[in-house]
Amino acid sequence: MTPTGLAQTHAAAFNGKGWPVADFANYMGDPKILIHGDDACFVVFRLAGPEAEILTLATHPDVQGHGRATAMMGTALDALISANVEDVFLDVAADNAPARALYDRLEFVQFAQRDNYYATGASAICMKIRLSPASPA
């Protein structure tokens, strides 16, 4: 995994509006950030005690639609369980049907919505998954 490879996939997955290489380089050196996957399919988590937040998830269009993100997220969530993370949070654009379907398959649940959150006017769907039964509802 390289900052350049991550930035290229991110840009391809987000129609040329990805994060710059420098951002990924900084994240790779941050102990509170976990990047899981490979250059073609990855997720970036921010770790905060017993919680984690998905900052972004990207799959290169050349490998989308083959279950790669689902498999990668399964191993990523297992890694978070091993790191004693209890809950994972994310925001996803309401109009991003493929991402919402992925999170539904992984059993994330919606707990809130932020209307007109994104620059496009799309609402953000706030979702959560409980990894540990010890975490409160």
Side-chain angles (χ1 to χ4, degrees), residues 2-55:
T2 67
T4 299
L6 297 173
Q8 289 171 343
T9 290
H10 203 255
F14 288 93
N15 299 316
K17 297 178 181 153
W19 296 351
V21 172
D23 286 2
F24 286 105
N26 289 335
Y27 281 142
M28 290 179 93
D30 187 332
K32 294 186 185 269
I33 297 293
L34 170 66
I35 303 175
H36 188 86
D38 58 37
D39 282 344
C41 180
F42 64 89
V43 61
V44 179
F45 295 100
R46 181 185 318 276
L47 306 174
E51 298 178 351
E53 175 187 8
I54 294 177
L55 300 181

Side-chain angles (χ1 to χ4, degrees), residues 28-114:
M28 290 179 93
D30 187 332
K32 294 186 185 269
I33 297 293
L34 170 66
I35 303 175
H36 188 86
D38 58 37
D39 282 344
C41 180
F42 64 89
V43 61
V44 179
F45 295 100
R46 181 185 318 276
L47 306 174
E51 298 178 351
E53 175 187 8
I54 294 177
L55 300 181
T56 194
L57 184 152
T59 303
H60 196 282
D62 292 346
V63 297
Q64 288 177 357
H66 302 287
R68 192 158 176 180
T70 302
M72 180 273 302
M73 280 297 295
T75 60
L77 295 175
D78 287 344
L80 292 175
I81 290 168
S82 295
N84 298 314
V85 171
E86 297 175 2
D87 297 293
V88 180
F89 298 88
L90 65 90
D91 293 342
V92 61
D95 60 358
N96 187 341
R100 292 188 64 189
L102 169 67
Y103 298 128
D104 286 343
R105 279 192 304 278
L106 295 167
E107 300 183 359
F108 279 80
V109 295
Q110 180 176 338
F111 68 90
Q113 179 171 317
R114 297 180 180 136

